[in-house]
Amino acid sequence: MKPFEIVEEPIDVKQYMDYVLHPSAGAVTVFTGNVREWTHGVRTLYLSYEAYVPMAEKKMAEIGAEMEEKWPGVRVAIAHRIGELQISDIAVVIAVSSPHRKAAYEANEYAIDRIKEVVPIWKKEIWEDGEEWIGAQKKYPSKGVE
Amino acid sequence: MKPFEIVEEPIDVKQYMDYVLHPSAGAVTVFTGNVREWTHGVRTLYLSYEAYVPMAEKKMAEIGAEMEEKWPGVRVAIAHRIGELQISDIAVVIAVSSPHRKAAYEANEYAIDRIKEVVPIWKKEIWEDGEEWIGAQKKYPSKGVE
Amino acid sequence: MITLKYFARLRDVAGKGEETLDREELTVSELLDWAEQTYPGFGADNVQVAVNEDYALKEDTIRSGDVCAFIPPVSGG
Amino acid sequence: MITLKYFARLRDVAGKGEETLDREELTVSELLDWAEQTYPGFGADNVQVAVNEDYALKEDTIRSGDVCAFIPPVSGG
């Protein structure tokens, strides 16, 4: 287990929580992003994630360094899974420990916002009647979605 | 396992995460409050928690109901451990799922704030040179602490 | 008969976790006065009373059969 | 020789995940123009380029031996 990693197997949250815990940590926050079945009335069958692995791990480590600078005393671990994920599977886990809780919440939310901005990972949604790579751009309208 | 409970054994975070997860949940946030060794330069040996158990479970369930009203679609589980806790042990776990992440963070932080306000649970800190029940009141100065 | 419960610091002050009080009816305010007089250092100004597991107001009435808990400032989490 | 990597939608558009380009030196902007002309529907306006695993600016120079990745809008999390 590395503190910033792309994995292909199901994510075991506990090992990331254990990694960030230490005797001066009074608070741990964990975020998991899970595959949701229904989005705006459209049913997702499953998702497929792809990453530019070495760059993604590097960018996640950079986000961790940003967090430690903004919130001194936090310890961070981030993992993102790639490949085919089924409904409710964990796509991403962010574990943050801190002496006090406020920083643990703020830093954790910062991490997922930054991941969605800069980490080279892509999600493809597979529906009953089609599939599409998801991204910020709207040039490629959704297939089979209202 | 009950969704709002006082327990005497070590807290297994995963069962609370699993409880709140469902196919429409895209985000899960977990908070754990852990026993911290050092606070303002004073070393804690261990903590002892006591609760008015039936009322504490009732108040935690009320907090859960408040959350579901404020953030529709969230699902909540809260557990607090009592008895003697060692350094890094989990005293409280809050698991929240939500279709989207913003509500999962906000609702989770709301829960710990409310727990610290209204749930009848008390913490006693045991140091090398004394012990004290901790509470908001400052009429009873700390023993053995500067 | 009213059941009284003591927790945390108040358990130490009262020297017990529970007892009964042989009264038919009294207000929360009167109960707190009774506790302050009975147990030196009770510090009733900083104590809330729960009647049957809900926080009560000073003017609420407690009746025989009720379970009252003295709640010092909470410190969970 | 420059290594080019394609991900997600761009992998579908290019029909490959990786190839090499036989050039000594060009700018990021020139590389994007080349991709746009080579692969219809590339959509270079919405594509960033990473050179050796760091995001590059349009005016940055790419040299032989560099590894360039075309990064469509990310959607992790």
Side-chain angles (χ1 to χ4, degrees), chain B residues 49-52 54-55 58-59 62 80 92 116-123 133-137 139-140, chain C residues 5-9 11-12 41-43 45-46 50 52-55 67 69 71-77:
Chain B
Y49 281 95
E50 178 178 328
Y52 180 15
M55 182 172 167
K58 183 177 169 183
K59 288 290 157 195
E62 285 176 14
H80 202 298
V92 59
K116 287 173 176 281
E117 282 169 6
V118 303
V119 179
I121 301 173
W122 300 273
K123 171 170 66 175
W133 285 107
I134 307 299
Q137 72 209 72
K139 290 180 77 169
Y140 307 88
Chain C
K5 288 175 171 287
Y6 300 90
F7 294 98
R9 187 185 64 78
R11 180 202 294 272
D12 297 344
F42 196 78
D45 288 354
N46 284 309
N52 303 327
E53 301 175 8
D54 266 317
Y55 288 108
V67 176
I71 312 276
V74 304
S75 51

Side-chain angles (χ1 to χ4, degrees), chain B:
Chain B
M1 175 251 165
K2 296 181 292 182
F4 302 98
E5 63 179 351
I6 299 293
V7 299
E8 300 192 13
E9 299 303 311
I11 285 177
D12 170 20
V13 172
K14 188 169 185 303
Q15 65 178 331
Y16 302 99
M17 295 186 75
D18 288 347
Y19 173 83
V20 299
L21 194 59
H22 58 93
S24 296
V28 175
T29 54
V30 176
F31 171 84
T32 64
N34 298 69
V35 179
R36 193 176 52 220
E37 184 169 21
W38 295 94
T39 300
H40 304 306
V42 177
R43 184 180 186 182
T44 297
L45 293 185
Y46 64 93
L47 298 183
S48 179
Y49 281 95
E50 178 178 328
Y52 180 15
V53 175
M55 182 172 167
E57 292 186 339
K58 183 177 169 183
K59 288 290 157 195
M60 294 193 302
E62 285 176 14
I63 291 168
E66 291 165 17
M67 292 161 72
E68 285 166 16
E69 194 179 325
K70 279 175 185 284
W71 293 278
V74 303
R75 190 178 293 182
V76 187
I78 301 173
H80 202 298
R81 185 174 167 197
I82 56 173
E84 282 192 12
L85 275 71
Q86 307 302 315
I87 304 302
S88 287
D89 278 356
I90 296 173
V92 59
V93 61
I94 301 163
V96 178
S97 74
S98 166
H100 300 282
R101 70 185 188 278
K102 189 144 193 60
Y105 281 110
E106 286 180 2
N108 198 305
E109 194 165 6
Y110 173 86
I112 185 63
D113 288 345
R114 290 290 286 156
I115 288 167
K116 287 173 176 281
E117 282 169 6
V118 303
V119 179
I121 301 173
W122 300 273
K123 171 170 66 175
K124 185 196 257 181
E125 293 193 354
I126 294 89
W127 312 296
E128 281 162 341
D129 57 356
E131 58 178 49
E132 190 187 35
W133 285 107
I134 307 299
Q137 72 209 72
K138 288 289 160 222
K139 290 180 77 169
Y140 307 88
S142 300
K143 297 169 195 144
V145 182
E146 76 276 11

